[in-house]
Amino acid sequence: MRPLLLVILLLAVPTVARAQSYEEHRAVSLLAGPGLGYTTTLSGDRAVTGPGVLFDVGGSLTVGYDQDEVFLLARAGLGEAGKGGVLLGGFRSIFGREEWQTFFDVGAAVRLFSGTWAGPRLGFGVRRTLSDQLSFYGGLGLSLGFGSGMRVDAEAFTGLQWSFPIGSR
C-alpha cells in the first residue's frame, strides 16, 4: 500500500507545483515609460518622415500558466512620430523565470487623431525584475498602419511595470 501512495504522491507533485507557480504569478500590472520613434507616412502623393518622443501609459493582465500577458497602452508624444494618440494592444509572451527575461509582443496599433490608421504591431525586448512587484523593461517595436494612406512606425521603448498579485481562479 505504501509504494502505491508514494507513486501517487510523486505523480502529483509536478501538478501541484505548477498550480502554485500559476497562483504566484497571476497579476494585474500598471505600465508606464518613455520611448523614441521614427515614422514614414504615405498619403496620396505626399510622404512625411520624422522622429518623435513617445510616452506610454497602460496596463496588463497575466494569462495562462506562464507569465504571459495581455496588454493595452495609450501612447502620446511629440514630433512627427509622436503626433496624435495611439492605442496599442496585444499579447506579450515572456521567456525565462530568472530576474532577466525576454519577451515578444504581437498585437495591433490604432492611431486616432493625426489621420486614422490601424494595423499589426510586433515588438521584442528584455525585462529585468527588480522586486516581486517592480520590473524595468525595454525593447524595439514595428507597426504598420492602413487607412489614411500607409504608415510604418519603428520604436525603441522603455518603462516600469508595477505588478499587483490577484487571487487564484
Side-chain angles (χ1 to χ4, degrees), residues 33-41 48-56 75-84 86 88 111 121 139-143 151-158:
L36 298 172
Y38 193 84
T39 190
T40 299
T41 305
V48 177
T49 62
V53 177
L54 314 169
F55 189 76
D56 298 337
R75 174 175 285 169
L78 301 171
E80 196 60 46
K83 280 185 183 176
V86 181
L88 304 169
R111 187 167 297 271
R121 179 184 176 275
L140 302 172
L142 180 68
S143 60
R151 182 179 185 110
V152 178
D153 287 290
E155 65 196 53
F157 56 90
T158 62

Side-chain angles (χ1 to χ4, degrees), residues 1-165:
M1 182 69 172
R2 284 187 181 202
L4 179 62
L5 184 59
L6 182 60
V7 168
I8 291 172
L9 182 63
L10 288 175
L11 291 174
V13 166
T15 305
V16 171
R18 179 189 277 173
Q20 288 174 345
S21 174
Y22 176 63
E23 290 176 12
E24 289 173 9
H25 295 296
R26 191 149 182 246
V28 62
S29 299
L30 296 176
L31 305 166
L36 298 172
Y38 193 84
T39 190
T40 299
T41 305
L42 304 172
S43 183
D45 59 349
R46 199 179 107 196
V48 177
T49 62
V53 177
L54 314 169
F55 189 76
D56 298 337
V57 175
S60 69
L61 175 67
T62 55
V63 295
Y65 287 100
D66 291 327
Q67 296 174 342
D68 297 338
E69 304 169 335
V70 292
F71 66 91
L72 182 63
L73 297 169
R75 174 175 285 169
L78 301 171
E80 196 60 46
K83 280 185 183 176
V86 181
L87 291 178
L88 304 169
F91 179 78
R92 178 171 283 175
S93 187
I94 308 289
F95 302 98
R97 298 212 182 264
E98 302 299 321
E99 52 192 36
W100 285 99
Q101 301 167 332
T102 58
F103 63 84
F104 181 76
D105 294 347
V106 61
V110 178
R111 187 167 297 271
L112 303 171
F113 302 117
S114 60
T116 303
W117 285 278
R121 179 184 176 275
L122 296 175
F124 64 93
V126 176
R127 181 168 77 177
R128 168 75 160 99
T129 302
L130 303 173
S131 71
D132 288 343
Q133 293 184 318
L134 195 61
S135 299
F136 176 77
Y137 63 89
L140 302 172
L142 180 68
S143 60
L144 297 175
F146 305 97
S148 299
M150 186 175 149
R151 182 179 185 110
V152 178
D153 287 290
E155 65 196 53
F157 56 90
T158 62
L160 286 174
Q161 181 172 8
W162 189 15
S163 298
F164 302 95

